[in-house]
Amino acid sequence: MASSSAAQAVAPDRRQGTSGQVADRRQNVVDRRSGLDRRQLSREASGYTGPERRSGKDRRDLTGLERRRGPGRRRSDLRKAAEEGEMTTEQFEFVMAIETYKKVNKKMFPTWTEVLEVITQLGYRKVQPRRIRLDNVPEPELVQAA
């Protein structure tokens, strides 16, 4: 008896089948070390029976926004300086306005609506159409620049 429990402890991936045979789960699982990628298999080969979720389109291309920089993509000088702690006057004004809003309203994390409110209180208005693609999002009316 002790030897069979020891065998089960040594090989936890071997299970007793309904017919009394030992089934090896490793035979129906793709080993990542083999170089096979389950995402490259067809629906039939992978045994997937659910709906097709691969659209063939890259989601990052839908908005025009990049998720990460990648090789050869450089940050702008303004962004690089801000990330290193050297802010422009405009960036510093925005940060201080948000900090003041948080102190006055006793909120650690303002909502996006509150952030937009602070931005409009700083005097910012939409005067140009957006340069990124946002599906199903109407373009707000533009304010005529003085």
Side-chain angles (χ1 to χ4, degrees), residues 79-142:
R79 185 169 171 193
K80 187 176 178 182
E83 289 175 2
E84 293 173 357
E86 300 173 14
M87 293 186 213
T88 64
T89 307
E90 195 173 52
Q91 292 167 337
F92 185 70
E93 178 189 32
F94 174 70
V95 169
M96 294 311 296
I98 292 292
E99 288 299 318
T100 303
Y101 181 88
K102 287 165 45 174
K103 284 180 186 175
V104 167
N105 293 292
K106 297 182 176 136
K107 290 189 101 173
M108 286 286 293
F109 305 102
T111 64
W112 288 117
T113 304
E114 293 166 338
V115 170
L116 183 59
E117 182 182 332
V118 170
I119 290 170
T120 54
Q121 288 176 357
L122 286 172
Y124 288 90
R125 303 289 182 265
K126 186 162 180 70
V127 296
Q128 292 181 336
R130 60 177 164 243
R131 289 181 270 167
I132 60 172
R133 196 171 120 207
L134 301 174
D135 292 333
N136 302 323
V137 179
E139 179 87 28
E141 288 187 30
L142 300 177

Side-chain angles (χ1 to χ4, degrees), residues 7-45:
Q8 287 177 350
V10 171
D13 54 353
R14 293 186 172 282
R15 301 285 183 254
Q16 191 83 16
T18 56
S19 63
Q21 296 175 346
V22 175
D24 190 356
R25 288 188 323 161
R26 292 177 286 184
Q27 291 179 355
N28 63 1
V29 175
V30 175
D31 187 2
R32 288 181 278 159
R33 295 173 290 185
S34 69
L36 292 174
D37 189 353
R38 64 178 169 76
R39 294 170 293 189
Q40 302 302 323
L41 298 174
S42 67
R43 290 178 72 141
E44 294 79 26

